[in-house]
Amino acid sequence: MKKVFLILIIAMMTAITTVSAYKLNRVSVHDPSVVWEPSSKYYYIFGSHLACARTKDMMSWSSTRWSWGQMNGTGGVTANVSNANAFTSCATKTVTKQGEQVTFPDFNALDWSAAYGNYDISGNMWAPDVIYNEKMKKWCMYMSINGPKWNSSIILLTADNITGPYVYQGPVIISGFNISGAPASLSYKNTDMELAIGSMTTIPSRYTSYWGRRWPHCIDPCVFYDKEGGLWMSYGSWSGGIWILKLNEENGLRDYDTTYLSVGGSTDGVTSDPYFGKKIAGGFYSSGEGSYIEYVGGYYYLFISNGGLAAGGDTNDYNNGGYQMRVFRSMTPDGPYTDAMGRKAVLTAYELNFGPNSSMRGINIFGAYGYWGDMLSADGERSQGHNSVISAPDGRTYLVYHSRFQNSGEWHQVRVHQLFQNEDGWLVAAPFEYTGEQVTDGDITTRQIVNHEQVTGTYKLLTHRYGLDHRKKELATPIDVVLHNDGTISGDANGTWSLTDGKSYVTMSIGGVQYKGVVVEQTMEPSQTKQTVAFTALAKSGVTVWGYRTGEDPTPVQTVKAESKKESMVFYDIMGRRVSKLGRSGIYINQGRKVMMRKK
């Protein structure tokens, strides 16, 4: 009788269970900026073109409205002012500089952006950011008023209520003055430039050109408090990169007592300027917009969206699409910002940072993907970006962004993913959108949410690599792998995995590359009814992997002996039960259990 040794592999129970559906109500808000309103316990998102929505649970959003106001002659506010009249005269008349009250210029933001004629402001109110100023006891809105030739401004408006009416206080930063051939109205004399850098008989020549690659386009503000209570604003889009200014906590405007040196001011490599402040990312007309800075777990994280915001698919237009969020971090609010490889956010030359030949600068937290969970190809997300982040009062950190979809043109919706920090302190995004999971940031560092046995099984593995071809609407799609009980990974990729005892960290080596992340339970999208074990992990290179468990899988637990007179052997499991049915891929099925037979 021929004897063989068999490896008996008994499957673990699947982690996928059926749960009651969560209520997800979608909204379309472009460039969503999220803020918490404590009295009503609502999260609000404000976006371009007056879009606004709110939710109490980060899942069920409802559209809402907000309005402009204007000071009247009796010191009150006239509500529901038209777009054309809302930004013509500053409510702030004086500011403090070096301890003295000085006149604040009455900047007409509408006239500035409309200087070239044929201008409609209704389509040019972009990307507002709203924050509550504790010292002012006001809601402060920082709004981009876009102009067609860099002649834009970021202005401050304030309100007693989060939905307004918001009253125009004055400009924070202005771009596009004295461009060659520009109308006379685009003079620095009509701005706050002299208040910021001193009186001049003529504008410095460095400001009269190079708006296409050297100086910032003054749109896309992000206003935040540092851990000491200082107020800052990052801003900018493409052209000269992302810049940052110190703000005055007392009035929400620019801090005119903070000065900036001119460093490289006569070159495209300028990194500091007396008027524009300090450059913290980009430059040389490399793509990058919609900056957002949030302090999480000891670091200031800088998010930037590279590429074009369109859905892509135009093979003749290289810039059409490719939107993708990249992440850097710093120990201080004004940088320097670097990624996990130490690559600086500030560029020293032009760099193609999106598309099939993209550089690998900045953490690629995720990009276009499809066939994920129960997604069909049409559900695939693409061109995600212009995000915001909030360290919420519920102990979680959320990433809020707008996304276009694989086969839906330029239509877009808001999505929310929970963020976690891995063992190295880098942010990783949950692989499915948020649907009410109860895991907090503190849970990740203090308990093991999913144990070793629950993690073992078959998985879909998705790699968010750099260089997707948006012209071809390329998506990242998953492969099949098995996480075995002995800590190995097999299938379409090979490697190892391990959990950190007492915490929810996972370390993986896939194809020789180490990834560090977290493992949690999530609800698969878009079904809203299936829960599964999922992981998100980051390589030092900046590449992110996601995985979710699809079901049970054989896991080696014991070597047993079986006997057979022929090659078609008779097998028995460790309970002495006969294994009689041959399943797919050489897997034997016995009373609902999978066992894989191998000769030793």
Side-chain angles (χ1 to χ4, degrees), residues 482-494:
V482 183
L483 272 60
H484 295 286
N485 191 49
D486 62 2
T488 60
I489 300 173
S490 66
D492 293 335
N494 297 302

Side-chain angles (χ1 to χ4, degrees), residues 432-500:
F432 293 108
E433 63 180 311
Y434 178 72
T435 52
E437 289 82 7
Q438 296 301 301
V439 178
T440 66
D441 295 348
D443 290 331
I444 299 298
T445 61
T446 57
R447 67 185 183 95
Q448 193 167 314
I449 298 166
V450 184
N451 64 38
H452 185 93
E453 288 73 21
Q454 290 172 311
V455 174
T456 59
T458 58
Y459 280 76
K460 292 291 184 181
L461 175 71
L462 189 150
T463 301
H464 290 289
R465 62 178 178 83
Y466 297 87
L468 294 179
D469 193 339
H470 52 273
R471 293 171 299 176
K472 299 178 180 179
K473 300 187 78 169
E474 184 180 9
L475 294 168
T477 56
I479 60 175
D480 296 306
V481 296
V482 183
L483 272 60
H484 295 286
N485 191 49
D486 62 2
T488 60
I489 300 173
S490 66
D492 293 335
N494 297 302
T496 61
W497 68 278
S498 63
L499 299 178
T500 300

Side-chain angles (χ1 to χ4, degrees), residues 27 33-46 52-64 139 162 389-398 400 416 434:
V27 288
S33 175
V34 63
V35 62
W36 165 252
E37 204 287 298
S39 63
S40 65
K41 294 182 170 52
Y42 272 106
Y43 296 95
Y44 281 80
I45 47 175
F46 292 83
C52 183
R54 67 179 189 172
T55 181
K56 285 191 173 182
D57 58 13
M58 281 292 180
M59 296 179 289
S60 182
W61 295 91
S62 59
S63 296
T64 188
W139 289 99
I162 194 167
V389 176
I390 186 169
S391 298
D394 63 8
R396 302 176 183 89
T397 302
Y398 298 103
V400 183
V416 178
Y434 178 72

